[in-house]
Amino acid sequence: IILITNYNMEKEKTFNQEYSENENLFGDPYNEFQDYFIKRTKKGSALDIGCGQGRDSIFLAKLGYNVTSIDPSEVGITQLDNTANELNLKISGIVGDAFNQEFKQKFDLILFDMLLHGFNKEQQQKLLSKYSELLNNEGIICIVFPEDIKKENFLDILNSQNHTWELLGEIIINDVPKINGEDIDFKFIMITVKIIN
């Protein structure tokens, strides 16, 4: 575990408690997410931002990605590291704040799974601007968000930055996890984008 001290303590405490009580809080990655990345032939390096307990990270590492995962929950990252060690997977877990964490390397995939919608537009702009600069050539950003948010929200932010982006795909996720028996009656959307110039 790499421990970074400047992260949101309130959020960390909440998720630490949740993850301590349930080591598989959100279940497996969405079926649609799995299908998309199984079919995608290009692998490489991946950055999972707000990875939680690492369900997406573990899945991507099993597909052959070299994964870096960041989350403010020390419990979540510890659980991820333990699973990665047990399965001999290439995952580097970082306890930290996505706004302040610095990365020297670039990535072929940057994942925001149910994260960006939790921030205001200015914060979304900061995150997308920061991490779009960490994409390798032909790299992609994958964003998962609730269906009541329009994809144009994120596309407009990306296109207002230093690059022009192409929407590669938009997938409706029906496989929404149920937490503590909640009756969920909405869907998620997953988009993938890449820089075209």
Side-chain angles (χ1 to χ4, degrees):
I1 297 172
I2 302 169
L3 180 60
I4 308 298
T5 57
N6 55 347
Y7 56 87
N8 184 321
M9 291 299 291
E10 182 178 331
K11 179 179 178 183
E12 182 265 343
K13 285 179 184 175
T14 301
F15 280 106
N16 274 346
Q17 182 177 355
E18 291 282 348
Y19 296 154
S20 294
E21 293 170 1
N22 186 341
E23 291 193 15
N24 190 22
L25 184 63
F26 296 107
D28 295 326
Y30 321 113
N31 290 327
E32 297 86 353
F33 177 92
Q34 293 185 52
D35 291 343
Y36 180 87
F37 284 101
I38 286 170
K39 291 173 186 171
R40 184 172 169 79
T41 55
K42 181 174 175 55
K43 307 298 185 221
S45 56
L47 176 60
D48 185 0
I49 303 171
C51 67
Q53 295 165 300
R55 64 182 192 152
D56 294 336
S57 297
I58 291 162
F59 172 75
L60 292 169
K62 286 179 177 177
L63 290 181
Y65 284 88
N66 187 349
V67 183
T68 301
S69 311
I70 181 169
D71 196 271
S73 170
E74 186 175 354
V75 172
I77 293 295
T78 297
Q79 291 168 342
L80 167 60
D81 284 346
N82 289 342
T83 302
N85 289 334
E86 288 170 13
L87 300 176
N88 198 26
L89 297 174
K90 294 179 181 177
I91 303 175
S92 174
I94 301 169
V95 178
D97 176 359
F99 288 96
N100 298 310
Q101 180 65 31
E102 296 300 325
F103 295 94
K104 294 181 180 177
Q105 72 182 102
K106 294 197 171 187
F107 301 91
D108 299 300
L109 164 64
I110 296 176
L111 173 63
F112 295 94
D113 182 355
M114 291 299 287
L115 177 76
L116 286 175
H117 68 281
F119 297 107
N120 63 39
K121 190 156 191 175
E122 181 183 347
Q123 292 169 317
Q124 292 171 357
Q125 289 172 330
K126 284 181 182 177
L127 287 172
L128 288 171
S129 175
K130 173 178 179 156
Y131 288 102
S132 64
E133 296 303 319
L134 295 181
L135 275 181
N136 283 325
N137 290 338
E138 298 300 311
I140 67 169
I141 289 179
C142 177
I143 305 172
V144 180
F145 51 93
E147 66 176 343
D148 61 344
I149 298 174
K150 297 190 179 303
K151 67 179 181 288
E152 286 77 17
N153 176 69
F154 302 116
L155 294 173
D156 289 347
I157 290 172
L158 286 166
N159 284 315
S160 71
Q161 311 284 330
N162 300 327
H163 304 286
T164 304
W165 294 78
E166 176 185 358
L167 177 65
L168 298 176
E170 177 181 0
I171 296 169
I172 296 172
I173 293 176
N174 294 297
D175 179 30
V176 176
K178 293 187 177 181
I179 315 259
N180 298 327
E182 291 176 351
D183 187 20
I184 297 175
D185 60 353
F186 60 91
K187 300 171 184 173
F188 298 159
I189 305 295
M190 181 177 106
I191 60 171
T192 50
V193 294
K194 76 171 184 176
I195 295 170
I196 54 176
N197 63 46

